[in-house]
């Protein structure tokens, strides 16, 4: 029975089984989940649509993502309060994929990213995400915020741009060239929406700012349009074709339907069809989506743990995210991951279990079916203003400024590098270079902490006279490849003047293959000079490294003693 219970828990998801099966779940808690799910669902409707548009696909695909992906991830994931769906972090990755491969390519990449997330979960890599340094995550999130904000300027000001260039610098040029086409009505709608977004929180009401902001922006756009001044809306920009051949404006009031991802077509892109060449072409993007999804979802889970005092299961969360991203694309869902803002709102609304996340998805489905005609009136400038605020929030600008002012120089370099590469090139390059650079700078700092001291005359360590041809040296810090060569080079120089070198290694916690190689070189030098090396006070890891390398005492060359006192007392002078 315990084994069956474990399998049942795994199949449903750690968070769901813990909150609803292991704990006493009752009608009172269900009522709280119901209210939280409805609240977050209402919040998510415009956000899901806006993020889909920003990602380069029609708005209904954002709703499909939150409906299918959000429900499955809540059911199977490892964080009980997370709300999953399209997020702003993905926009920078997804927009280029949608432009190059169309909807079919984006959905294929989503399925592949889901498979990668499942593999990461099975390999228990959930905790490895914590080794990504904060300057890297801050750098690429700030960069993403800048790119998203830049992409919204076209709709914010109602600019006429035939086609947005691929590269960021060219985008800025196109926006600057198009400024004479700025529409006063579109700008007014955007500014009104933006102003409400900024001022509404001061009223301290439980209603999130973007709902009244979108409503006010929509009424203003409707007034302009009735007056004869055109303000573009979801209904005027997007259309759909029903099975009977009829064309509708806005989003289709239909449930997500099953279709193979690679057979989907969108706008000017035709269905791709499944091929290994296409899989190879999309694999780098899929890997980037999976890594970003893992980072976002686990960071969100950590934030929610801090808010609630609960603990998430990292590997279960990766598994749930993977399953959700494998299934959702078969119903039109683009990449989904946990959204920090919506998840925090879920907690504040009183959520008790993952059922709140599932209810949020059902609310989105009802919104799609019942409100499609109304949603078609949402103005594009208002959606752009909404995403500008989202971009600012996700950029964590105050945190980034604090890091630049107070962090060590190496962290600032990593942050600025990740930020610049995210904006100018793309996030895949930024994360890769950022992690490598952070690792190199960290190793440099650790290597500089490893020091060599001559303690031959230090009475705190040596309580007796030692022969003149002896040198007693103390090493402090790890002897790994980045530090060992310089340390043993110093010892080699000292060995020219001494017959016996004693190395006191109680401060050496690590000896790696690089340190072992440097030690071997030192022994060769001492052998040629007919000098000897005495090593004392080894910690466990260096002992294990020496044992695996089969390094043993050698008469007249290499000797080991458990303590420095033993070496000074017992070793022949």
């Amino acid at each position: 029975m315990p084994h069956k219970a474990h399998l049942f828990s795994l199949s449903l998801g750690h968070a769901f089984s813990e909150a609803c099966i292991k704990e006493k779940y009752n009608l009172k808690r269900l009522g709280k989940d119901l209210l939280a799910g409805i609240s977050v669902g209402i919040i998510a409707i415009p956000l899901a649509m806006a993020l889909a548009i920003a990602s380069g696909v029609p708005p209904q695909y954002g709703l499909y993502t939150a409906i299918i992906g959000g429900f499955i991830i809540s059911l199977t994931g490892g964080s009980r309060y997370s709300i999953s769906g399209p997020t702003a972090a993905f926009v920078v990755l997804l927009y280029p994929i949608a432009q190059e491969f169309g909807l079919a390519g984006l959905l294929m990449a989503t399925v592949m990213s889901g498979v990668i997330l499942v593999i990461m979960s099975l390999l228990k890599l959930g905790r490895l995400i914590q080794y990504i340094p904060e300057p890297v995550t801050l750098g690429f999130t700030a960069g993403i915020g800048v790119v998203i904000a830049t992409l919204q300027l076209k709709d914010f000001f109602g600019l006429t741009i035939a086609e947005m260039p691929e590269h960021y610098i060219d985008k800025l040029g196109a926006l600057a060239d198009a400024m004479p086409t700025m529409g006063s009505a579109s700008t007014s709608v955007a500014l009104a929406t933006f102003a409400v977004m900024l001022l509404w929180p001061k009223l301290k009401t439980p209603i999130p700012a973007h709902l009244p902001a979108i409503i006010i922006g929509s009424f203003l756009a409707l007034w302009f349009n009735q007056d004869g001044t055109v303000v573009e809306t979801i209904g005027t920009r997007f259309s759909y074709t029903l099975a009977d051949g009829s064309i509708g404006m806005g989003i289709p009031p239909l449930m997500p339907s099953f279709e193979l991802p690679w057979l989907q077509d969108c706008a000017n892109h035709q269905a791709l069809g499944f091929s290994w060449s296409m899989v190879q072409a999309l694999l780098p993007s899929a890997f980037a989506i999976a890594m970003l999804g893992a980072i976002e979802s686990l960071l969100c889970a950590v934030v929610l743990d801090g808010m609630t005092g609960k603990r998430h299961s990292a590997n279960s969360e990766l598994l749930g995210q993977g399953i959700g991203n494998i299934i959702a694309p078969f119903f039109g869902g683009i990449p989904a991951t946990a959204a920090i803002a919506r998840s925090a709102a879920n907690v504040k609304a009183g959520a008790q279990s993952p059922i709140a996340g599932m209810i949020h998805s059902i609310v989105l489905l009802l919104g799609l079916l019942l409100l499609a005609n109304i949603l078609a009136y949402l103005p594009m400038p208002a959606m752009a203003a909404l995403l500008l605020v989202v971009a600012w929030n996700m950029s964590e600008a105050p945190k980034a400024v604090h890091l630049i002012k107070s962090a060590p120089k190496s962290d600032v370099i990593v942050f600025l590098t990740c930020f610049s590469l995210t904006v100018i090139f793309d996030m895949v390059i930024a994360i890769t270079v950022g992690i490598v650079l952070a690792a190199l700078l960290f190793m440099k700092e650790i290597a500089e902490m490893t020091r060599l001291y001559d303690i031959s005359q230090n009475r705190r360590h040596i309580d007796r006279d030692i022969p003149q041809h002896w040198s007693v040296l103390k090493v402090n810090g790890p002897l790994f490849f980045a530090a060992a060569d310089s340390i043993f080079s110093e010892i080699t120089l000292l060995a020219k003047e001494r017959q016996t070198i004693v190395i006191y290694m109680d401060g050496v916690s690590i000896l790696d293959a690089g340190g072992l190689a440097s030690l071997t070189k030192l022994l060769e030098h001492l052998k040629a000079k007919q000098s000897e090396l005495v090593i004392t006070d080894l910690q466990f890891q260096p002992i294990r490294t020496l044992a695996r390398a089969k390094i043993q005492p050698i008469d007249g060359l290499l000797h080991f003693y458990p303590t420095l006192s033993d070496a000074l007392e017992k070793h022949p002078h």
Side-chain angles (χ1 to χ4, degrees):
M1 284 298 291
H3 180 62
K4 289 182 179 179
H6 174 70
L7 291 176
F8 184 58
S9 171
L10 183 62
S11 65
L12 281 182
H14 171 85
F16 183 87
S17 61
E18 183 180 58
C20 300
I21 298 172
K22 294 181 181 178
E23 298 177 2
K24 292 180 179 179
Y25 193 77
N26 51 36
L27 287 176
K28 183 179 179 182
R29 297 181 68 191
L30 175 61
K32 290 184 178 180
D33 278 338
L34 188 62
L35 289 175
I38 292 172
S39 300
V40 180
I42 294 171
I43 292 170
I45 290 173
L47 279 173
M49 296 171 67
L51 291 167
I53 294 168
S55 299
V57 297
Q60 62 265 29
Y61 294 101
L63 295 174
Y64 299 161
T65 306
I67 291 167
I68 305 298
F71 189 93
I72 292 170
I73 293 170
S74 290
L75 179 64
T76 60
S79 178
R80 70 169 69 190
Y81 303 109
S82 290
I83 300 294
S84 293
T87 63
F90 277 138
V91 169
V92 177
L93 274 176
L94 306 189
Y95 187 81
I97 302 172
Q99 295 302 301
E100 183 176 355
F101 298 102
L103 178 63
L106 183 53
L107 297 183
M108 282 182 65
T110 306
V111 174
M112 292 163 62
S113 71
V115 172
I116 294 170
L117 284 166
V118 169
I119 292 171
M120 290 172 66
S121 169
L122 296 177
L123 294 176
K124 300 189 183 302
L125 299 181
R127 292 297 174 192
L128 292 182
I129 303 299
Q130 65 187 327
Y131 295 109
I132 297 178
E134 185 176 43
V136 174
T137 55
L138 267 182
F140 75 71
T141 52
I144 289 169
V146 169
V147 174
I148 292 173
T150 304
L151 291 173
Q152 303 319 305
L153 296 180
K154 174 180 177 291
D155 286 330
F156 191 96
F157 295 111
L159 304 178
T160 302
I161 300 176
E163 185 177 353
M164 188 66 79
E166 180 181 353
H167 301 293
Y168 184 77
I169 303 300
D170 297 333
K171 285 183 175 71
L172 293 180
L175 288 167
D177 292 341
M179 285 308 291
T181 68
M182 182 175 69
S184 58
S186 295
T187 306
S188 298
V189 171
L191 289 174
T193 306
F194 192 72
V196 175
M197 289 281 291
L198 295 181
L199 297 174
W200 187 264
K202 294 182 179 181
L203 299 178
K204 297 182 179 179
T205 69
I207 301 171
H210 71 270
L211 292 181
I214 288 288
I215 292 170
I216 291 171
S218 298
F219 279 117
L220 186 58
L222 183 63
W223 180 76
F224 276 121
N225 284 327
Q226 288 179 342
D227 197 43
T229 306
V230 176
V231 175
E232 198 170 18
T233 64
I234 285 176
T236 60
R237 178 173 294 187
F238 299 100
S239 62
Y240 58 90
T241 304
L242 296 175
D244 60 3
S246 60
I247 297 176
M249 307 305 290
I251 62 175
L254 304 171
M255 290 187 66
S257 58
F258 180 87
E259 187 171 354
L260 295 175
W262 46 89
L263 297 182
Q264 293 265 15
D265 58 8
C266 177
N268 297 324
H269 294 86
Q270 299 300 314
L272 295 174
F274 185 88
S275 67
W276 286 112
S277 61
M278 187 55 60
V279 170
Q280 290 175 329
L282 291 170
L283 187 58
S285 297
F287 183 77
I289 293 170
M291 288 301 299
L292 182 57
I295 294 169
E296 281 283 297
S297 61
L298 295 179
L299 282 177
C300 178
V302 170
V303 170
L304 297 178
D305 286 353
M307 292 177 66
T308 63
K310 301 290 184 181
R311 289 180 62 86
H312 73 283
S313 170
N315 292 313
S316 297
E317 179 65 4
L318 289 185
L319 181 62
Q321 294 288 338
I323 293 171
N325 280 286
I326 290 172
I327 296 174
F330 288 88
F331 297 89
I334 61 176
T337 190
I340 294 177
R342 275 162 274 169
S343 300
N346 187 41
V347 171
K348 291 176 182 177
Q352 299 292 301
S353 76
I355 289 176
M358 295 180 233
I359 292 170
H360 135 273
S361 296
I362 295 170
V363 170
L364 282 160
L365 177 60
L366 293 174
L368 173 65
L369 297 178
L370 303 176
L371 302 176
N373 292 332
I374 296 174
L375 295 175
Y377 287 99
L378 294 181
M380 298 306 298
M383 303 294 268
L386 170 62
L387 285 178
L388 275 178
V389 176
V390 170
W392 170 261
N393 290 335
M394 80 159 296
S395 71
E396 296 190 273
K399 208 171 179 180
V401 170
H402 178 71
L403 182 141
I404 291 173
K405 288 181 177 179
S406 61
K409 184 179 178 181
S410 59
D411 286 345
V412 175
I413 291 171
V414 171
F415 167 79
L416 293 176
T417 301
C418 285
F419 174 79
S420 303
L421 291 176
T422 300
V423 173
I424 297 172
F425 295 103
D426 63 57
M427 206 190 67
V428 180
I429 295 174
I431 292 179
T432 304
V433 173
I435 291 175
V436 171
L437 181 60
L440 291 174
L441 290 172
F442 176 74
M443 286 188 288
K444 177 178 177 292
E445 290 178 2
I446 295 299
E448 290 174 350
M449 290 172 61
T450 303
R451 300 292 181 86
L452 180 70
Y453 303 96
D454 189 334
I455 59 170
S456 302
Q457 306 302 320
N458 189 324
R459 289 300 176 184
R460 190 163 65 87
H461 293 287
I462 301 172
D463 58 358
R464 69 194 71 199
D465 294 330
I466 60 172
Q468 289 188 347
H469 60 274
W470 280 38
S471 273
V472 181
L473 309 174
K474 177 177 172 61
V475 180
N476 261 350
L479 281 173
F480 69 114
F481 63 91
D485 192 57
S486 62
I487 293 295
F488 282 111
S489 293
E490 287 186 56
I491 295 173
T492 301
L493 290 174
L494 287 170
K496 292 179 180 179
E497 303 171 0
R498 297 289 187 269
Q499 192 68 28
T500 299
I501 300 293
V502 181
I503 303 181
Y504 177 44
M505 293 181 64
D506 78 323
V508 177
S509 56
I510 295 173
L511 178 69
D512 72 349
L516 206 57
S518 298
L519 175 60
T520 303
K521 289 180 186 177
L522 175 62
L523 289 173
E524 290 173 358
H525 174 81
L526 293 175
K527 184 177 180 181
K529 189 177 172 294
Q530 295 186 330
S531 298
E532 58 184 354
L533 179 67
V534 178
I535 297 177
T536 76
D537 296 86
L538 283 168
Q539 294 191 36
F540 176 74
Q541 194 279 339
I543 290 175
R544 187 175 61 180
T545 300
L546 293 168
R548 291 187 66 180
K550 295 184 168 59
I551 292 182
Q552 298 178 347
I554 303 171
D555 286 341
L557 178 61
L558 178 62
H559 309 272
F560 294 98
Y561 289 93
T563 66
L564 179 58
S565 296
D566 286 339
L568 297 176
E569 180 181 340
K570 298 178 183 178
H571 192 71
H573 291 191

